[in-house]
Amino acid sequence: MKIAIIGTGNLGKSIAKGLITSNAITTLYLTKRNLDAIQEFDGYQNVYLTSNNAEAVKQSDIIIFAVQPAHFETILRDIKPLLTEKHVLISTITGFLIPKMEAIVGSDQFIIRAMPNTAIAVGKSITCLCSNEKGAERIKIAEAIFNRLGTSIAIPEKQMQAATVVCASGIAFWMRLIRATTQAAIQLGFEAETAQDLAMHTCEGAASLLIATGNHPEQEIDKVTTPKGCTIEGLNEMEHKGLSSSLIQGMVTSFNKINTIKTEQL
Ligand SMILES: NC(=O)C1=CN([C@@H]2O[C@H](COP(=O)(O)OP(=O)(O)OC[C@H]3O[C@@H](n4cnc5c(N)ncnc54)[C@H](O)[C@@H]3O)[C@@H](O)[C@H]2O)C=CC1
Ligand SMILES: O=C(O)[C@@H]1CCC=N1
């Protein structure tokens, strides 16, 4: 696959790492205005670094946009004359709706929106996808790419904002939980490095159990909570302090914020 990433920042770099590691590319063009920050990709076979978006678009079939929302419209207008029937446009841009993209490049383009997260760098992103009518003909290509870099799921565009909070921002939420459990482990006597190992592998184990079994979290909790034991004592104390409520309220607040920000201000 000949892929270009337009805007190789935090997310673009994560996607690039995933694509390179999984050998998913024939050629990969990475664009950024200042190339200093992406020199780590210099020297990989068939990976080209450039600040010339037009060049990257001309040389590629699949164009993944990962710029800040405020920059996207200008970039789309600039590359519009270069688009041909080979191009599939995949936008990761938060809050930039398909009708707005169609108004710029036309509804006859293959347009897909993807909401991955930074775990794409290690092939573990859950990526939500939606497309315009034309793009539905190419959604399989997007699924093929993102399934190599984790798991993908097709959703209606109206759920993309919620997917952003749950999956993209979700990485930050889970990191904070891992950090908090690490701090607790240190207080309980582990060295910092060991404490983090214990916290992150336990987190991975919990998620893997649910993925492998399809069980509900409470089924797995029931297996751990010995009557009158330490687990239920700790769990109930966390709930008295508002653990579940705090997470739910935080995510709803995050969602409300996304819905109030105009694309130009994001
Ligand atoms: N960071 C994340 O975890 C996620 C981000 N997103 C979306 O992805 C987009 C990018 O987010 P980040 O990577 O966090 O932002 P970022 O600011 O780290 O990266 C954007 C990159 O685009 C480059 N850029 C700006 N103008 C350009 C141009 N004209 N040509 C080429 N490159 C240009 C910038 O130099 C920068 O490196 C945003 O729209 C965000 O909503 C979506 C899901 C997750
Ligand atoms: O925090 C943000 O607004 C963006 C959207 C998802 C990840 N970063």
Side-chain angles (χ1 to χ4, degrees):
M1 280 187 277
K2 294 162 124 184
I3 300 179
I5 297 177
I6 307 295
T8 313
N10 288 315
L11 180 63
K13 277 203 252 184
S14 301
I15 298 172
K17 280 180 197 159
L19 288 172
I20 293 167
T21 312
S22 65
N23 286 320
I25 43 155
T26 314
T27 56
L28 177 62
Y29 278 76
L30 302 177
T31 84
K32 197 177 180 332
R33 281 174 303 190
N34 178 349
L35 298 179
D36 290 349
I38 54 170
Q39 285 310 310
E40 67 201 89
F41 296 102
D42 192 26
Y44 280 101
Q45 207 177 4
N46 300 322
V47 176
Y48 305 96
L49 314 186
T50 178
S51 45
N52 186 339
N53 289 335
E55 178 69 6
V57 170
K58 278 191 260 179
Q59 299 297 338
S60 307
D61 301 334
I62 294 154
I63 317 297
I64 299 176
F65 298 95
V67 292
Q68 292 291 344
H71 298 141
F72 191 32
E73 183 166 343
T74 309
I75 290 171
L76 272 185
R77 289 194 190 287
D78 288 349
I79 61 142
K80 183 184 174 209
L82 308 170
L83 296 178
T84 67
E85 60 191 20
K86 73 171 183 172
H87 286 112
V88 178
L89 310 181
I90 302 181
S91 163
T92 67
I93 319 295
T94 301
F96 207 105
L97 304 188
I98 287 173
K100 195 167 173 188
M101 289 181 70
E102 285 186 327
I104 300 167
V105 295
S107 56
D108 55 340
Q109 298 291 337
F110 300 111
I111 296 176
I112 291 166
R113 282 185 67 196
M115 188 48 64
N117 61 41
T118 50
I120 202 163
V122 291
K124 291 283 183 188
S125 172
I126 172 76
T127 301
C128 294
L129 299 170
C130 63
S131 71
N132 69 344
E133 209 176 318
K134 180 90 174 162
E137 295 170 29
R138 295 286 186 276
I139 196 96
K140 290 261 176 274
I141 293 179
E143 284 172 356
I145 294 171
F146 291 105
N147 285 344
R148 275 180 95 137
L149 306 174
T151 311
S152 71
I153 177 168
I155 62 169
E157 186 177 31
K158 63 176 192 280
Q159 290 188 328
M160 279 308 253
Q161 305 283 67
T164 304
V165 170
V166 177
C167 307
S169 308
I171 289 287
F173 304 147
W174 283 105
M175 289 297 169
R176 195 50 73 78
L177 286 171
I178 291 172
R179 193 197 74 167
T181 49
T182 299
Q183 288 174 319
I186 296 169
Q187 189 168 344
L188 298 179
F190 291 99
E191 295 294 340
E193 202 177 319
T194 310
Q196 185 174 320
D197 280 344
L198 301 184
M200 63 192 181
H201 287 293
T202 305
C203 176
E204 186 185 30
S208 301
L209 268 176
L210 299 182
I211 291 165
T213 62
N215 281 347
H216 188 281
E218 287 304 325
Q219 280 176 277
E220 295 301 329
I221 287 175
D222 283 348
K223 295 179 194 169
V224 187
T225 44
T226 307
K228 289 192 165 182
C230 61
T231 311
I232 193 65
E233 191 96 6
L235 210 48
N236 283 346
E237 178 64 12
M238 288 174 201
E239 291 303 342
H240 292 317
K241 292 275 168 16
L243 177 68
S244 295
S245 172
S246 153
L247 287 169
I248 293 164
Q249 283 181 8
M251 289 174 70
V252 171
T253 301
S254 191
F255 178 71
N256 290 340
K257 172 71 178 176
I258 274 200
N259 289 323
T260 58
I261 303 176
K262 295 245 181 328
T263 303
E264 294 73 20
Q265 298 167 331
L266 273 166

PDB file of all heavy atoms in Angstrom, residues 94 115 164 168-169 266, ligand 2:
ATOM      1  N   THR A  94     -10.499  15.357  14.650  1.00  0.00           N
ATOM      2  CA  THR A  94     -11.642  15.441  15.566  1.00  0.00           C
ATOM      3  C   THR A  94     -12.610  16.532  15.112  1.00  0.00           C
ATOM      4  O   THR A  94     -12.198  17.660  14.839  1.00  0.00           O
ATOM      5  CB  THR A  94     -11.137  15.776  16.983  1.00  0.00           C
ATOM      6  OG1 THR A  94     -10.234  14.765  17.389  1.00  0.00           O
ATOM      7  CG2 THR A  94     -12.288  15.870  17.970  1.00  0.00           C
ATOM      8  N   MET A 115     -11.076   7.092  13.782  1.00  0.00           N
ATOM      9  CA  MET A 115     -10.709   7.583  15.116  1.00  0.00           C
ATOM     10  C   MET A 115      -9.886   6.506  15.814  1.00  0.00           C
ATOM     11  O   MET A 115     -10.417   5.614  16.473  1.00  0.00           O
ATOM     12  CB  MET A 115     -11.978   7.933  15.909  1.00  0.00           C
ATOM     13  CG  MET A 115     -11.689   8.642  17.228  1.00  0.00           C
ATOM     14  SD  MET A 115     -10.516  10.019  17.110  1.00  0.00           S
ATOM     15  CE  MET A 115     -11.372  11.186  16.052  1.00  0.00           C
ATOM     16  N   THR A 164     -14.377   9.386  20.079  1.00  0.00           N
ATOM     17  CA  THR A 164     -13.152  10.149  20.366  1.00  0.00           C
ATOM     18  C   THR A 164     -12.861  10.139  21.859  1.00  0.00           C
ATOM     19  O   THR A 164     -11.733   9.912  22.292  1.00  0.00           O
ATOM     20  CB  THR A 164     -13.315  11.603  19.857  1.00  0.00           C
ATOM     21  OG1 THR A 164     -13.634  11.561  18.479  1.00  0.00           O
ATOM     22  CG2 THR A 164     -12.051  12.412  20.083  1.00  0.00           C
ATOM     23  N   ALA A 168      -9.988   7.562  21.937  1.00  0.00           N
ATOM     24  CA  ALA A 168      -8.782   8.385  21.750  1.00  0.00           C
ATOM     25  C   ALA A 168      -8.366   9.034  23.069  1.00  0.00           C
ATOM     26  O   ALA A 168      -7.260   8.805  23.567  1.00  0.00           O
ATOM     27  CB  ALA A 168      -9.022   9.428  20.669  1.00  0.00           C
ATOM     28  N   SER A 169      -9.283   9.782  23.686  1.00  0.00           N
ATOM     29  CA  SER A 169      -8.989  10.349  25.008  1.00  0.00           C
ATOM     30  C   SER A 169      -8.843   9.215  26.011  1.00  0.00           C
ATOM     31  O   SER A 169      -8.130   9.346  27.017  1.00  0.00           O
ATOM     32  CB  SER A 169     -10.125  11.273  25.472  1.00  0.00           C
ATOM     33  OG  SER A 169     -10.433  12.228  24.482  1.00  0.00           O
ATOM     34  N   LEU A 266     -10.556  24.110  17.851  1.00  0.00           N
ATOM     35  CA  LEU A 266     -10.027  22.891  18.460  1.00  0.00           C
ATOM     36  C   LEU A 266      -8.508  22.894  18.480  1.00  0.00           C
ATOM     37  O   LEU A 266      -7.883  23.402  17.574  1.00  0.00           O
ATOM     38  CB  LEU A 266     -10.515  21.653  17.698  1.00  0.00           C
ATOM     39  CG  LEU A 266     -11.866  21.087  18.136  1.00  0.00           C
ATOM     40  CD1 LEU A 266     -12.373  20.112  17.096  1.00  0.00           C
ATOM     41  CD2 LEU A 266     -11.811  20.422  19.481  1.00  0.00           C
TER      42      LEU A 266
HETATM   43  O1  LIG B   2      -7.753  15.988  23.366  1.00  0.00           O
HETATM   44  C1  LIG B   2      -8.208  16.189  22.231  1.00  0.00           C
HETATM   45  O2  LIG B   2      -8.973  17.133  22.055  1.00  0.00           O
HETATM   46  C2  LIG B   2      -7.838  15.297  21.075  1.00  0.00           C
HETATM   47  C3  LIG B   2      -8.975  14.446  20.639  1.00  0.00           C
HETATM   48  C4  LIG B   2      -8.582  13.045  20.921  1.00  0.00           C
HETATM   49  C5  LIG B   2      -7.238  13.121  21.381  1.00  0.00           C
HETATM   50  N1  LIG B   2      -6.817  14.358  21.434  1.00  0.00           N
END
